Amino acid sequence: MLDLLLQLPLIGVDAERLAVLVIAALAGGAFGAALGALPAFVFTGFVVFLGEGLGVLTREIEAFDLAPQGELATGVTSVIGFGMVTGPHVSFAGGVAAAAYAAKRYPEMEPGGWSYHFGKNIGFAFGTKPDILAVGGIFGVVGMLITRLASGLGAPTDSIALSVVATALLARVAFGYPIVGRIAGRNVLDMSPFEREEPRSAPDGGTVQGRLATEPWLPHQYTWCGVTTIGLVGGVLAGYIWLETGSVFMGYAVSAMSLLFLNLGVERIPVTHHITLLGSVGAVIALPVVGSDPLALLVAGAFGGLAGLTGEVTQRVFYAHSGTHVDPPAMTIAVLMFAVALLYLAGLLPNAGYLAF
């Protein structure tokens, strides 16, 4: 039965290769738990930046016939950056699940001064605690399998982003958290309880010590005007990077690397990897239509602005009211790339960005 399953295009590998991926994903997920989800994702940025840089160099060398075609291909981006080592669906997903588990199992580990639920502290490194690392490893495997199944089924979106969202929601269910959570404001989009610094109410009518009623993903990045502005800026810059290098993921990598400063405690560092990825996609889609680099950059900015707004909507629905991290950038990428795919399949776009159909 297993052999029959592995022959289907859903997994796309034989039993031996699947065993390699499972073992590596176990380690990759545990790696994300040990370092913390956010530090692990910063590594994603550095590795993808290296891989994309090598890809640009390779294309330039091959263009001048200085090396045989394909000889310098490295696969750093796909094998390591988006693979079992620092792939967000493995290491970041493992770190997110580890935080959700630890908040329930070891509430005493919560660092002082943390005003959100401990399950949202994705910058916390869990070191070498075996059971927490085991949770990270299990979710790393689950993330890998979801990604491969989504790709094998031809899911019309970014399968890695889809997997990051799916594993985060699965962690909520597995460890007893509500999917959306208790809404403190007028509706699910209302962040005013946070602005008023209202404490979170307890079931017995009291308040939860040290918790806010509503917990926006980024306290410095949640106003509609602010997320639109940074979206326009990031989208244009990502479009420019693509125009100059031909790399869709270089802007994404720069954004991911910038999160090192956020993790180190530098205030007001924006999170923009969903913005820059969609900005690049906007330029890729626009250029064949408009035939003008300046116009392509404007479209890239519009895509970035839309990504900023979408990220804010998703965080207000799925992040702000429950107790664990469900990644707004991953939700944004999954939603908007799904829209791009549908429009392309309907014949309304000239391409689907980096998605392969």
Side-chain angles (χ1 to χ4, degrees), residues 172 179-180 183 187-191 214-218 221-228 274-275 304-321 326-333 335-336:
R172 282 191 174 174
I179 294 296
V180 173
I183 298 167
N187 54 59
V188 73
L189 300 179
D190 182 15
M191 295 292 105
T214 302
E215 302 170 335
W217 168 46
L218 298 167
Q221 185 180 326
Y222 77 94
T223 66
W224 299 113
C225 180
V227 297
T228 303
H274 55 310
I275 289 168
L306 179 61
L309 288 169
T310 304
E312 184 55 30
V313 171
T314 60
Q315 82 86 8
R316 292 186 184 214
V317 176
F318 290 106
Y319 179 97
H321 312 288
V326 176
D327 197 53
M331 288 187 279
T332 298
I333 294 167
V335 168
L336 292 185

Side-chain angles (χ1 to χ4, degrees), residues 42 65 76 220-221 236 263 303 306 330 354:
V42 171
D65 293 326
V76 171
H220 60 279
Q221 185 180 326
V236 167
N263 199 70
F303 269 63
L306 179 61
Y354 59 88

Side-chain angles (χ1 to χ4, degrees), residues 42-296:
V42 171
F43 273 102
T44 304
F46 280 99
V47 174
V48 172
F49 186 80
L50 172 63
E52 293 302 286
L54 290 172
V56 172
L57 176 63
T58 298
R59 289 192 292 273
E60 291 296 318
I61 291 175
E62 291 176 347
F64 288 98
D65 293 326
L66 297 179
Q69 187 72 23
E71 186 173 300
L72 296 180
T74 61
V76 171
T77 297
S78 60
V79 174
I80 301 176
F82 292 138
M84 300 305 102
V85 183
T86 63
H89 57 306
V90 176
S91 60
F92 183 82
V96 166
Y101 167 77
K104 292 281 190 175
R105 181 69 177 82
Y106 303 107
E108 70 277 7
M109 294 179 70
E110 180 175 347
W114 180 254
S115 60
Y116 283 16
H117 193 283
F118 183 28
K120 290 180 174 175
N121 194 338
I122 61 170
F124 191 87
F126 290 102
T128 59
K129 205 158 184 60
D131 57 332
I132 299 179
L133 268 59
V135 169
I138 291 168
F139 273 82
V141 173
V142 173
M144 178 273 292
L145 292 173
I146 291 174
T147 300
R148 295 199 70 89
L149 285 170
S151 298
L153 290 168
T157 189
D158 184 308
S159 59
I160 288 179
L162 180 64
S163 177
V164 169
V165 176
T167 52
L169 293 175
L170 179 61
R172 282 191 174 174
V173 174
F175 302 123
Y177 297 89
I179 294 296
V180 173
R182 188 168 65 254
I183 298 167
R186 296 183 304 274
N187 54 59
V188 73
L189 300 179
D190 182 15
M191 295 292 105
S192 63
F194 167 77
E195 295 167 348
R196 294 190 297 267
E197 298 184 351
E198 292 182 9
R200 190 170 188 84
S201 60
D204 62 4
T207 60
V208 181
Q209 184 68 30
R211 288 285 307 280
L212 294 170
T214 302
E215 302 170 335
W217 168 46
L218 298 167
H220 60 279
Q221 185 180 326
Y222 77 94
T223 66
W224 299 113
C225 180
V227 297
T228 303
T229 302
I230 194 63
L232 293 170
V233 171
V236 167
L237 291 177
Y240 174 77
I241 291 172
W242 175 75
L243 285 174
E244 296 298 317
T245 68
S247 171
V248 173
F249 297 109
M250 185 73 80
Y252 171 95
V254 171
S255 291
M257 290 189 296
S258 74
L259 298 183
L260 173 64
F261 299 101
L262 181 66
N263 199 70
L264 292 174
V266 179
E267 295 184 358
R268 300 186 180 278
I269 296 292
V271 178
T272 59
H273 53 284
H274 55 310
I275 289 168
T276 47
L277 182 57
L278 267 296
S280 297
V281 169
V284 171
I285 291 171
L287 190 59
V289 177
V290 301
S292 163
D293 287 359
L295 289 178

